Amino acid sequence: MIGKFLIERRSWIMLFILLQLLLVFIAYIDPNISMGSISYYVFLSSTIFVLFLSVRFVKETKFYQSLTTWINEFDESELQAPASPFEKIVYHNLSEQAEHLKQLESQNRTSLEQEKNELLSWIHEVKTPLTAMQLIIDRIEDNALKTDLNYEWLRVHLLLDQQLHKKRMSFIENDLYIEKTELEPIIYQEIRTLKSWCIHKKIGFDINLEVENVLTDGKWLAFIIRQILSNAVKYSENSDIEISSEQSNNQTILIIQDHGRGIDAKDMPRIFEKGFTSTATHQDNSATGMGLYLTKQISESLQINIQVKSELGEGTAIKLIFPKRNDFVAITET
């Protein structure tokens, strides 16, 4: 701040220095003027000028220093009261801009909340005709046509479910209910959801759960497993998906291993990025790049660590490592 203050006042400082040099020059060319007296005057005036700058620095920078720490959502009460006319102009303009931005923020919040509620309502309404479509598809006798329709129906169902949880994520902390949750019912339910797709792609499941219970939110865990399984089925063919659980270092680990396409090594650092699909099959229009992103976001709220190991052409193994002990445990014990 001192450097900026001196730069701001550099024209005044240069003027003072030039005036002092002018006096010294006049004393030098005029023998009637004592050089000693002029030197004494220059010394005193320079000292007074430095003291003057110091006082002005303290007084004039208070307002601007308060601007550098003004971070509390445009609250003008945090600003130093303006002292000079120019500071009052700045303060007045900032106050008007802050008020305008707060109004825009309020309008945008209201608009976004309304849009979110409308979308959630729309998703729930669409589920009704989807259920009716499923009943109609079940009555179709042409197995090939029935399989194709079931596949397309499942895609729509999963995309709607993804959007529903995406919108709910903004208030996930208020929606969590941590309890002792059985893994087997959740896993089997998600497999049943993907049954028609798995039959079409000749995919089976090998399930071996050494640990059957975890402490988590069952609904959000189901969504995580759903995203992982749907990816495993999507990128696999004529193979089994292995699901197992184990205990290691007092932590429960759920492992989902497929033997499908796998992930390119150069894509691994980006698989959890929002909207990222793949550089290997970038022409895949069915990929949204949201599944693993949402999975990562939700797992962080559940304090579940996700580890991914994959080799291109060999398959992918995803580990869900549940926490040893966290705030959720304390909540359930009180």
Side-chain angles (χ1 to χ4, degrees):
M1 185 63 74
I2 295 177
K4 293 179 180 179
F5 175 79
L6 293 176
I7 292 173
E8 178 69 20
R9 297 290 181 268
R10 63 183 180 275
S11 59
W12 294 90
I13 295 173
M14 290 301 298
L15 176 62
F16 175 80
I17 293 173
L18 288 174
L19 290 175
Q20 304 307 304
L21 291 176
L22 178 62
L23 286 175
V24 173
F25 177 72
I26 292 173
Y28 176 75
I29 62 175
D30 189 348
N32 295 322
I33 300 176
S34 171
M35 181 62 73
S37 299
I38 292 297
S39 299
Y40 184 63
Y41 170 80
V42 169
F43 171 75
L44 287 179
S45 60
S46 298
T47 302
I48 293 172
F49 184 67
V50 169
L51 291 175
F52 172 78
L53 284 179
S54 300
V55 172
R56 296 308 303 173
F57 169 78
V58 174
K59 187 172 182 179
E60 293 183 17
T61 57
K62 285 183 179 180
F63 177 74
Y64 296 103
Q65 283 178 338
S66 67
L67 288 178
T68 61
T69 57
W70 191 32
I71 58 175
N72 189 18
E73 297 183 353
F74 305 109
D75 184 3
E76 299 96 304
S77 63
E78 291 188 354
L79 289 176
Q80 180 74 22
S84 69
F86 285 126
E87 289 179 3
K88 290 178 181 179
I89 292 174
V90 172
Y91 182 85
H92 176 72
N93 289 335
L94 285 175
S95 298
E96 288 188 345
Q97 289 296 322
E99 188 62 32
H100 177 64
L101 289 174
K102 283 191 284 188
Q103 290 177 1
L104 287 178
E105 181 188 24
S106 178
Q107 293 173 3
N108 289 335
R109 282 180 180 271
T110 302
S111 177
L112 286 173
E113 190 66 26
Q114 183 179 355
E115 181 182 347
K116 181 180 70 177
N117 291 335
E118 289 174 354
L119 180 58
L120 289 175
S121 176
W122 179 83
I123 292 173
H124 286 292
E125 289 177 3
V126 170
K127 285 186 175 183
T128 301
L130 272 180
T131 303
M133 287 174 60
Q134 183 64 64
L135 295 175
I136 295 171
I137 292 172
D138 290 340
R139 294 201 298 267
I140 295 176
E141 296 181 358
D142 187 332
N143 289 330
L145 177 61
K146 185 176 181 177
T147 300
D148 291 340
L149 288 174
N150 268 322
Y151 170 69
E152 297 302 331
W153 179 91
L154 183 60
R155 284 183 61 192
V156 174
H157 171 73
L158 292 176
L159 287 172
L160 283 173
D161 181 72
Q162 196 176 88
Q163 284 298 315
L164 179 63
H165 284 81
K166 179 183 175 182
K167 291 302 179 181
R168 284 177 173 171
M169 274 181 56
S170 58
F171 47 88
I172 184 174
E173 301 299 336
N174 298 327
D175 191 46
L176 292 178
Y177 181 68
I178 307 303
E179 61 180 346
K180 194 174 184 180
T181 304
E182 292 186 23
L183 290 172
E184 187 174 297
I186 294 176
I187 293 171
Y188 276 95
Q189 176 59 42
E190 297 309 320
I191 291 175
R192 281 193 293 270
T193 301
L194 301 171
K195 180 178 68 174
S196 60
W197 199 6
C198 295
I199 293 174
H200 177 67
K201 303 193 73 174
K202 298 179 181 180
I203 292 174
F205 290 88
D206 182 9
I207 301 175
N208 180 26
L209 301 177
E210 295 181 8
V211 182
E212 298 181 352
N213 300 307
V214 291
L215 191 64
T216 190
D217 183 291
K219 179 178 66 179
W220 288 100
L221 176 62
F223 177 79
I224 291 175
I225 294 175
R226 188 179 314 141
Q227 298 305 306
I228 296 174
L229 287 181
S230 62
N231 272 359
V233 174
K234 181 178 181 180
Y235 300 113
S236 300
E237 197 89 29
N238 298 321
S239 61
D240 285 348
I241 296 174
E242 300 161 8
I243 303 175
S244 61
S245 64
E246 60 185 37
Q247 194 82 14
S248 178
N249 297 324
N250 296 321
Q251 289 181 281
T252 299
I253 302 176
L254 180 65
I255 307 168
I256 301 176
Q257 167 80 60
D258 69 64
H259 300 280
R261 189 180 72 189
I263 304 171
D264 198 324
K266 64 182 179 181
D267 290 343
M268 285 293 290
R270 301 183 59 192
I271 59 174
F272 293 116
E273 290 182 9
K274 185 176 182 179
F276 178 75
T277 52
S278 171
T279 57
T281 57
H282 204 62
Q283 72 279 5
D284 186 1
N285 295 325
S286 63
T288 63
M290 294 300 298
L292 287 180
Y293 165 75
L294 294 175
T295 297
K296 181 66 173 178
Q297 298 301 309
I298 294 170
S299 66
E300 289 177 353
S301 296
L302 294 175
Q303 299 190 25
I304 297 173
N305 182 26
I306 299 182
Q307 293 182 358
V308 181
K309 185 178 180 181
S310 183
E311 188 174 343
L312 194 62
E314 297 295 329
T316 302
I318 296 182
K319 290 184 178 181
L320 301 179
I321 305 174
F322 294 84
K324 293 181 180 179
R325 184 179 183 85
N326 52 43
D327 295 336
F328 301 145
V329 178
I331 292 173
T332 58
E333 291 182 348
T334 56

